[in-house]
Amino acid sequence: MGGEIAQTIAAADIPVVVKDIEQKFVDAAVEKSREVTKYQLDKLVSKEKLTQEAADARLDEVMGLIKRATDYGDFGDVDIVIEAVPEKMEIKKAVYAELDEATPGHAILASNTSSLSITEMGRETLRPGKVVGFHFFFPASVMPLVEIISGEDTSRETVTTAFNFAQAIKKQCIT
């Protein structure tokens, strides 16, 4: 799912960092981003809405916006993080504690969860008001909806920013 989320963001011309615990997982996510982007562009070429040369150039542009990482070194100036780790609360809590330390205080920490408690994740941080659910429907590159979920501590400003970000990546929001 992380590769599709990264692709969706990069396709909206927003730089993105794909981070995972091992390089092979990062590489797989970025390869998924490439496959999805190429598929979308190939459809436009087949419909003669884009030349092959323009499609190749756009593929390079989108992929150039995706940075790979196995640590949090590139997270020092991010504005939003969307985690897509396995749906296990203990993993999510550990990731939120790490993100709280690795990201600037203004950064929104968003979870792609569809069922786990945003409140519980947020309380692993010093900024529970900046933690929000940001659930993509699968496949993220195709489905138009993003579900924004507030925790008990999520601020109205965080929800508004998440809503605006969803629109910037060309998604429709439901709350």
Side-chain angles (χ1 to χ4, degrees):
M1 185 69 133
E4 292 222 6
I5 293 170
Q7 187 277 336
T8 299
I9 295 167
D13 296 318
I14 299 169
V16 61
V17 178
V18 173
K19 187 247 180 237
D20 211 317
I21 57 174
E22 291 184 36
Q23 190 64 46
K24 68 181 180 181
F25 300 135
V26 173
D27 293 343
V30 173
E31 182 54 33
K32 181 64 175 180
S33 297
R34 177 178 293 285
E35 288 172 12
V36 169
T37 303
K38 185 165 179 3
Y39 174 78
Q40 291 172 346
L41 294 168
D42 286 348
K43 280 179 49 178
L44 294 173
V45 170
S46 73
K47 293 178 182 179
E48 297 182 357
K49 293 183 177 190
L50 200 62
T51 66
Q52 187 62 56
E53 183 177 274
D56 292 344
R58 180 64 182 151
L59 177 62
D60 290 343
E61 285 176 15
V62 171
M63 296 311 298
L65 291 168
I66 302 174
K67 188 181 275 190
R68 301 168 193 238
T70 56
D71 61 38
Y72 291 109
D74 291 319
F75 283 64
D77 63 354
V78 298
D79 295 318
I80 187 167
V81 175
I82 303 170
E83 63 75 12
V85 301
E87 289 286 290
K88 295 184 186 284
M89 185 56 83
E90 63 273 7
I91 296 172
K92 296 224 184 238
K93 283 181 172 184
V95 167
Y96 276 83
E98 292 170 359
L99 287 169
D100 197 39
E101 288 185 31
T103 59
H106 74 271
I108 291 174
L109 307 179
S111 179
N112 187 46
T113 190
S114 61
S115 61
L116 297 178
S117 171
I118 299 303
T119 301
E120 200 172 334
M121 286 178 245
R123 290 185 178 162
E124 291 298 311
T125 73
L126 297 175
R127 57 178 127 176
K130 294 255 181 215
V131 178
V132 67
F134 201 84
H135 176 234
F136 287 84
F137 291 82
F138 185 79
S141 60
V142 176
M143 297 299 287
L145 293 177
V146 167
E147 179 184 25
I148 296 175
I149 306 122
S150 296
E152 290 174 18
D153 305 312
T154 307
S155 74
R156 172 59 52 207
E157 178 187 7
T158 296
V159 171
T160 300
T161 302
F163 188 91
N164 291 340
F165 182 74
Q167 290 183 320
I169 61 172
K170 301 171 179 67
K171 295 294 181 182
Q172 297 170 4
C173 295
I174 55 174
T175 54

